[in-house]
Amino acid sequence: MSANLTVDPEDIAELIGRCKLSVSVSEFHGSLVGYIAGGGRFPGDSVLAALSLEPDPAPTADEEAMLNRLRHQTDEWLADPELTFSPWLPDDDAPIPERAEGLVDWIHGFLGGLGLGGSVERNQGMSDDAREVLKDMASIAATEFEFDADDDVNDESLTELEEFVRAGAMLLHAELSRGTPPANDTLH
């Protein structure tokens, strides 16, 4: 996919603001990743409808096309053997509490997206590792973070959690989307 077609968090932040969606950028991205990982279908090619988000006003045709590009971009990154996938979280130089909140938002979105994508019905064949990842993600999402006085320790711990979530999302995508025929793959 060429760079000029790549959708970035700022594009989605603008859409969230204009369409008055009640999610953060991190939660939106987590929802999309969870939905794709869970093998979700996109009814009428609408990303927002699939994620049960109700825009007011509705996205423009250009915004719908951008959401579809993001959907395909995310699917490609999740499946990329070069491990290019990364959750959309606050920048590493953001305050640690903001980063922790972004991670929790992303996980909440991811777990909700998995449910919307239908993975709950298919998880009987899930590996023990995948079940453990889901359990651990739910635990992280329910955590009230307490920060050490040493920001280096906090940064290192948060970075480890972010990497765990990134790898966990890729593992769950590999397991849960396996055998799922591709959703409507037309690019607009």
Side-chain angles (χ1 to χ4, degrees):
M1 193 167 273
S2 64
N4 65 342
L5 292 178
T6 300
V7 180
D8 63 36
E10 291 77 23
D11 297 327
I12 296 304
E14 287 177 25
L15 174 109
I16 286 170
R18 197 188 75 70
C19 294
K20 298 180 184 93
L21 299 175
S22 59
V23 293
S24 67
V25 171
S26 293
E27 186 176 2
F28 177 87
H29 189 248
S31 295
L32 178 63
V33 171
Y35 190 81
I36 290 170
R41 300 279 186 269
F42 291 88
D45 243 7
S46 174
V47 171
L48 297 181
L51 300 180
S52 296
L53 293 172
E54 297 176 9
D56 180 26
T60 66
D62 285 346
E63 288 170 332
E64 285 286 357
M66 174 186 65
L67 287 167
N68 278 311
R69 281 195 316 275
L70 176 61
R71 174 183 122 201
H72 290 282
Q73 166 187 309
T74 301
D75 199 26
E76 288 173 13
W77 287 348
L78 278 166
D80 184 1
E82 300 296 319
L83 309 177
T84 54
F85 169 74
S86 186
W88 284 1
L89 302 170
D91 290 330
D92 290 344
D93 56 358
I96 289 180
E98 183 181 320
R99 287 177 53 206
E101 182 179 332
L103 181 63
V104 167
D105 282 354
W106 195 92
I107 295 170
H108 279 182
F110 181 80
L111 295 174
L114 272 177
L116 288 171
S119 69
V120 176
E121 295 86 44
R122 289 192 300 277
N123 77 4
Q124 284 72 20
M126 201 184 298
S127 72
D128 289 342
D129 286 345
R131 289 181 198 279
E132 189 68 27
V133 164
L134 275 177
K135 184 176 141 211
D136 290 347
M137 281 188 175
S139 293
I140 294 167
T143 298
E144 288 286 329
F145 286 96
E146 292 182 19
F147 300 102
D148 194 288
D150 183 351
D151 274 350
D152 289 340
V153 170
N154 294 328
D155 182 64
E156 187 176 315
S157 297
L158 196 53
T159 299
E160 286 176 16
L161 284 175
E162 291 168 354
E163 179 55 28
F164 169 79
V165 168
R166 183 184 82 80
M170 291 173 51
L171 170 75
L172 289 166
H173 175 263
E175 281 205 20
L176 297 175
S177 67
R178 196 175 37 212
T180 304
N184 183 351
D185 280 343
T186 58
L187 280 176
H188 299 280

